[in-house]
Amino acid sequence: MTDCQISTVLASIQIRVEELGDAPCIVTGDQRVSYQELWGLARRVEGFLKQKGVQAGDRVALITDNCPQYAAVFYGALLAGAAVVPMNTSAKMRDFANWLAHSGAKVAFVDFVPRELQKLPAEQLGTALVAINEREALPGPLQDLGLSCWDDVLAQNVPETAPEVQRGADELACIIYTSGTTGNPKGVMISHGNLVANVKSILAVLPIEQGDRFLNVLPFYYSYGNSVLHTHLVQGATLVLENSMMFPNVVAKKLAQESITGFAGVPSTFSLLLSRGKLEEHDLSRLRYVLQAGGAMPVPVTQQLLKQFSEHVYVMYGQTEATARLTWLPPSRLIEKLGSVGIPIEGVNIQIRHPDGSPCAVGEAGELFVQGENVALGYWDNEVATAGTFIDGWLKTGDLGYKDSDGFIYLKGRRSDMIKSGANRISPLEIEEVIVELPNVEEVAVIGIADEMLGQSIAAFLVLKQGSSLDVRAVKKHCLDNLASYKIPKQILQVDALPKTASGKVKKHILAEQVGEKS
């Protein structure tokens, strides 16, 4: 992709603002923010950042759960010419410190409600902090720090000059981190051209229309949730925010009460909704599209989903390194191709290759390689990882699969050991590094094991030092103190030794078999 000037996602949203004005854009609780109001907030963020000295190419971090301010900061930072660095709010202080330092974020917009984020001001991060909260809502100690707050953003005048919404196709739009506390962070560099290409491809297959009402439970800081945000605002739809699946019955009730026409989730989302949502008690007749992505969903769950939503189920597959989506399974072919992730979306080419790079025959498993304008620029400040993943214009996905005679793709797992649990991609090494900090642990290996609800859950195998005994509660407490909750091992097992190859690599498939024998 050449760095030519393109019409961006910003330009598309600006058109919707001019068309729709007071139409609802984002709804959360009793708060309803119109397209005009959201754009006005984004313009104020733009002015605030420029006043803070943010220039084109600078990075602006965003650490908050889904809310109107999230969207305002995201688009306001882009208007200011900056790149947005959204961060997982479930992470720990060591993650935030690592990401902020690695990205070189000049400013970070932070919701200081979670306790873990209240540790941020005590760190010497070299990043100016702005509280998404209003000043009076902050805990007392934070008020005394003189932080900038949302009040200061609202005090900005909307710039009189029209915003610049054209950008270079290769100009950096955002960095999304897929790993954190290791010494080798991977921040995926997504360009304005990547965003435009992926939004266009998604809208070519999903029936999103102006005036649609979409209930969103996906975090915007993931590429999946990020794509939901852009695609629906570009089309002039309304996003109704529900930030938790803790109470599936509440989500089901809201689907009916808010006359929802669209919904998306990962496999665990639908497992919860189907088993605990009491969907039969609600009128869901307005739902026109139900999207599943974020990992392979067990066939029985897909079959249940089909019984509930019939021809409205869209299965997709993607990666952060491909901005969001790569394939789609037309609902009309879902029963016939049950278990498939479908065919490439518009503008995407997918090859399945042997380890030597030669193409696989029909039905033959190999690694998926992807090409298209949605493929990211590489990893921020990580030439080694970039060179190993982005090869001759192709993305080496690390996913294994095959094509059938009709060109439909079926996934068979990952080449790497990365664990996919719910919507999260989790590095085993990150957990291993934390557990091995315990003084009585000699070695540890972490793997993902099959889980009907999450796709995979986490199991940790510990070799203890001589004379030590396993204290599962102590291990879990240490993990809780240093890792996000979704990274805590479900099973913690003691073994005499880890099975290894001659070169010393742990044979994790043998550990997985051991878990199967004990379950």
Side-chain angles (χ1 to χ4, degrees), residues 33-237:
V33 178
S34 71
Y35 271 82
Q36 191 68 53
E37 289 169 334
L38 181 69
W39 194 248
L41 289 173
R43 295 301 313 275
R44 286 180 169 85
V45 171
E46 174 195 5
F48 176 84
L49 289 174
K50 288 179 176 178
Q51 186 184 72
K52 287 286 186 181
V54 171
Q55 300 177 358
D58 284 342
R59 276 77 60 206
V60 172
L62 185 48
I63 311 175
T64 178
D65 288 329
N66 296 355
C67 58
Q69 292 95 323
Y70 182 103
V73 172
F74 196 104
Y75 297 123
L78 294 186
L79 287 170
V84 186
V85 189
M87 297 180 183
N88 187 335
T89 55
S90 298
K92 294 293 184 178
M93 187 57 231
R94 62 168 73 189
D95 297 307
F96 297 128
N98 193 31
W99 291 331
L100 289 170
H102 184 256
S103 67
K106 197 165 189 175
V107 177
F109 287 82
V110 179
D111 182 350
F112 277 108
V113 173
R115 280 186 189 173
E116 196 68 25
L117 297 180
Q118 292 181 30
K119 301 175 186 177
L120 274 168
E123 301 289 329
Q124 301 300 314
L125 298 171
T127 303
L129 299 176
V130 182
I132 291 288
N133 322 73
E134 295 178 354
R135 186 167 278 104
E136 62 269 18
L138 290 174
L142 293 176
Q143 292 184 25
D144 298 337
L145 289 172
L147 297 172
S148 297
C149 291
W150 195 245
D151 305 333
D152 302 312
V153 175
L154 295 178
Q156 293 286 319
N157 293 319
V158 175
E160 295 181 2
T161 56
E164 175 55 57
V165 292
Q166 305 299 309
R167 294 289 185 274
D170 289 341
E171 189 174 331
L172 189 61
C174 60
I175 299 172
I176 299 180
Y177 280 94
T178 61
S179 64
T181 61
T182 67
N184 196 32
K186 290 183 178 180
V188 180
M189 297 189 293
I190 296 173
S191 71
H192 283 275
N194 294 150
L195 287 179
V196 169
N198 211 236
V199 166
K200 179 182 176 183
S201 297
I202 292 171
L203 293 178
V205 297
L206 290 184
I208 306 172
E209 298 176 356
Q210 183 173 312
D212 270 333
R213 294 177 63 78
F214 184 91
L215 182 63
N216 183 67
V217 297
L218 299 167
F220 289 150
Y221 50 71
Y222 285 119
S223 62
Y224 190 178
N226 198 42
S227 71
V228 164
L229 175 67
H230 302 320
T231 51
H232 284 78
L233 267 56
V234 162
Q235 285 296 83

Side-chain angles (χ1 to χ4, degrees), residues 192-314:
H192 283 275
N194 294 150
L195 287 179
V196 169
N198 211 236
V199 166
K200 179 182 176 183
S201 297
I202 292 171
L203 293 178
V205 297
L206 290 184
I208 306 172
E209 298 176 356
Q210 183 173 312
D212 270 333
R213 294 177 63 78
F214 184 91
L215 182 63
N216 183 67
V217 297
L218 299 167
F220 289 150
Y221 50 71
Y222 285 119
S223 62
Y224 190 178
N226 198 42
S227 71
V228 164
L229 175 67
H230 302 320
T231 51
H232 284 78
L233 267 56
V234 162
Q235 285 296 83
T238 299
L239 285 174
V240 180
L241 305 185
E242 178 62 42
N243 289 342
S244 173
M245 280 299 298
M246 184 175 293
F247 303 104
N249 58 318
V250 172
V251 173
K253 187 176 181 180
K254 188 165 284 190
L255 286 170
Q257 286 182 336
E258 292 282 354
S259 299
I260 297 300
T261 57
F263 183 75
V266 298
S268 58
T269 305
F270 293 110
S271 293
L272 286 168
L273 199 59
L274 290 166
S275 63
R276 306 179 194 174
K278 300 180 180 179
L279 296 176
E280 69 282 354
E281 298 180 3
H282 305 284
D283 178 10
L284 307 180
S285 59
R286 294 204 59 190
L287 266 175
R288 293 181 15 261
Y289 57 101
V290 176
L291 170 63
Q292 183 266 313
M297 190 159 67
V299 169
V301 179
T302 304
Q303 291 171 323
Q304 290 180 53
L305 204 58
L306 270 172
K307 288 180 182 178
Q308 182 68 51
F309 299 114
S310 184
E311 73 277 8
H312 304 305
V313 177
Y314 291 77

